[in-house]
Amino acid sequence: MNYINLMYLHLATVVPCFIIGTIVLLLKKGAKTHIILGRVYMILMLTTACITLFMPADVGPTIFNHFGWIHSFSFLTIYTVPTAYLAIKRGNIKVHKRKMILLYFGAIIIAGGFTFTPGRYLYTLFFT
């Protein structure tokens, strides 16, 4: 699969993450809808993080001529989603809540914001 297809696949998984994640944060915690959408959100987040690992960094310095600093959000997501899931399964609501809020703001808001910087596709799409 080439880079362009990966980029579109990534967008197809991350845009719903933004929408569903926002809804889940606003829903009553522990409600059936929160649980169902939360699971969908977690699966989409893991999927989108895995997709990005196959996308080479085009902006800034790289490690192994592939990974850029933005990939750190992918690795963080791959770690955070399972640990947040285990936390809620163990009844540790405080840890689950903290991890999910940090994941949303770190991987969706902050990393997403960086995709609008010069040299990236979304910057070109929206600002040129």
Side-chain angles (χ1 to χ4, degrees):
M1 185 172 276
N2 69 26
Y3 174 74
I4 298 298
N5 290 337
L6 286 172
M7 182 180 55
Y8 288 129
L9 188 58
H10 172 55
L11 285 172
T13 55
V14 79
V15 170
C17 284
F18 172 71
I19 295 165
I20 294 169
T22 303
I23 293 168
V24 169
L25 283 174
L26 297 173
L27 287 173
K28 182 178 185 288
K29 306 309 176 241
K32 191 70 170 169
T33 308
H34 173 88
I35 294 167
I36 292 167
L37 287 178
R39 287 179 180 163
V40 171
Y41 173 75
M42 287 179 145
I43 291 166
L44 283 171
M45 285 298 289
L46 281 175
T47 302
T48 202
C50 290
I51 290 167
T52 62
L53 294 179
F54 293 98
M55 298 170 65
D58 289 336
V59 177
T62 61
I63 299 170
F64 304 122
N65 204 26
H66 180 81
F67 297 108
W69 58 267
I70 202 162
H71 284 99
S72 60
F73 291 103
S74 303
F75 292 112
L76 182 65
T77 299
I78 291 168
Y79 167 78
T80 302
V81 170
T83 58
Y85 180 78
L86 289 174
I88 200 63
K89 284 296 178 188
R90 293 178 180 146
N92 195 337
I93 296 167
K94 185 177 181 180
V95 168
H96 172 78
K97 180 180 179 179
R98 185 182 77 240
K99 285 179 176 283
M100 294 311 293
I101 290 171
L102 289 173
L103 178 68
Y104 179 83
F105 285 99
I108 299 289
I109 303 301
I110 295 172
F114 284 127
T115 65
F116 288 96
T117 57
R120 297 200 176 273
Y121 175 73
L122 290 181
Y123 176 86
T124 304
L125 184 66
F126 283 93
F127 303 113
T128 59

